[in-house]
Amino acid sequence: ILFAFRIDIGLRNSGVIRSPEPKGKGALIRRYATCAPRPSRGKAQPKTHAVAIYHFSAQIIGRSAGRSSVAASAYRAGVSLTDERTGQVHDFTRKRGVDFSAVLAPLDSPAWALDRATLWNRVEQTEKRKDAQVCREFNIALPVELTHDQKIEVTREWVGREMVAKGMVVQFDAHDLASHNPHVHLMATMRRIEGDGFGQKAREWNDKAQLEAWRLSWEEYANDALKRAGRAERIDHRTLE
């Protein structure tokens, strides 16, 4: 599956890449983290796999909460963007910690889809309701055990297969890669690209089954990347309940 992407801040040059074959089915997205149990003194412990941190949350960005996709895009990427609908300038150029920033889109998308300013202003212009839902955002913890390149690559592979292949345009911003909390913010359109604009909203992306698939799929991709990197740690999508 081919997709196009543009990198504004990044570890690699832009181009077109092929994403891997589809993987697994899923489980519901929630906020949580799991880690390996701490051993008790004086007691033999059963053999366990090391467990890396798992965090995967999702939210809708909507006007009813006073938010806009243009403002969110500027903040996540650490850039300055003007919301053409309101005339407001959102300047976050002083923001630190943005280590990688890119936009990914289906291969046959118009050129404007890869420009974050035009993309999100088009999204805002398309939505007419004062309480419109304008985009979906994901916050995903990246395995600290991977190199920076490996963190970016596994995320880009997953986004390409699980989102862009479905017709979404996705802004991809990786933060704090050298810290104890490397993570990525994904902003995904709620409409597919059709011709030179957007089509109807894809309601199936709101289904519980789709959320379930994304949650487990990320576990599988991340664990595969850890295995290929020669690491013993694994993430686990299940809650501790």
Side-chain angles (χ1 to χ4, degrees), residues 12-238:
R12 297 164 184 252
N13 295 323
S14 61
V16 176
I17 64 175
R18 183 178 301 275
S19 61
E21 291 301 310
K23 302 184 179 184
K25 297 182 180 178
L28 183 63
I29 293 173
R30 297 176 184 157
R31 293 176 180 265
Y32 68 90
T34 59
C35 58
R38 180 179 297 176
S40 301
R41 292 183 179 179
K43 293 183 179 180
Q45 297 298 312
K47 291 183 178 180
T48 60
H49 292 289
V51 183
I53 294 297
Y54 182 102
H55 174 89
F56 193 140
S57 63
Q59 65 171 325
I60 298 294
I61 293 177
R63 290 178 187 159
S64 61
R67 303 185 68 189
S68 83
S69 60
V70 176
S73 170
Y75 181 75
R76 297 310 183 202
V79 299
S80 179
L81 296 177
T82 300
D83 190 328
E84 297 172 1
R85 188 177 67 90
T86 65
Q88 187 173 358
V89 177
H90 302 281
D91 187 350
F92 296 101
T93 51
R94 293 185 179 182
K95 179 176 173 60
R96 297 178 180 271
V98 182
D99 296 314
F100 181 92
S101 186
V103 176
L104 291 75
L107 192 59
D108 57 353
S109 299
W112 58 259
L114 294 175
D115 176 78
R116 74 180 71 251
T118 307
L119 169 65
W120 298 115
N121 272 298
R122 287 263 191 141
V123 166
E124 292 292 337
Q125 293 162 9
T126 300
E127 304 300 340
K128 306 302 182 184
R129 295 172 57 98
K130 63 180 181 181
D131 61 348
Q133 296 180 340
V134 292
C135 68
R136 181 177 287 103
E137 182 180 29
F138 299 84
N139 185 327
I140 306 173
L142 300 174
V144 69
E145 298 82 5
L146 298 178
T147 68
H148 297 350
D149 278 345
Q150 290 166 344
K151 293 168 190 169
I152 296 302
E153 191 63 23
V154 65
T155 309
R156 190 161 57 185
E157 290 174 354
W158 184 82
V159 171
R161 175 56 192 163
E162 297 295 332
M163 296 183 174
V164 179
K166 292 178 171 63
M168 301 180 200
V169 182
V170 181
Q171 177 174 321
F172 167 8
D173 300 297
H175 293 180
D176 303 322
L177 292 183
S179 76
H180 69 283
N181 181 34
H183 58 280
V184 63
H185 295 273
L186 306 174
M187 289 178 56
T189 59
M190 304 187 76
R191 300 174 184 266
R192 292 185 177 90
I193 291 285
E194 291 185 3
D196 192 47
F198 288 105
Q200 297 297 312
K201 282 191 174 178
R203 303 295 181 185
E204 66 272 20
W205 296 343
N206 295 331
D207 290 347
K208 179 179 178 180
Q210 179 59 77
L211 297 182
E212 291 174 347
W214 278 327
R215 183 167 173 249
L216 181 57
S217 175
W218 171 249
E219 175 194 309
E220 293 175 338
Y221 269 77
N223 283 340
D224 183 63
L226 287 165
K227 181 179 179 180
R228 284 186 278 115
R231 302 292 306 203
E233 297 86 354
R234 298 292 184 266
I235 64 172
D236 190 336
H237 72 281
R238 297 168 296 179

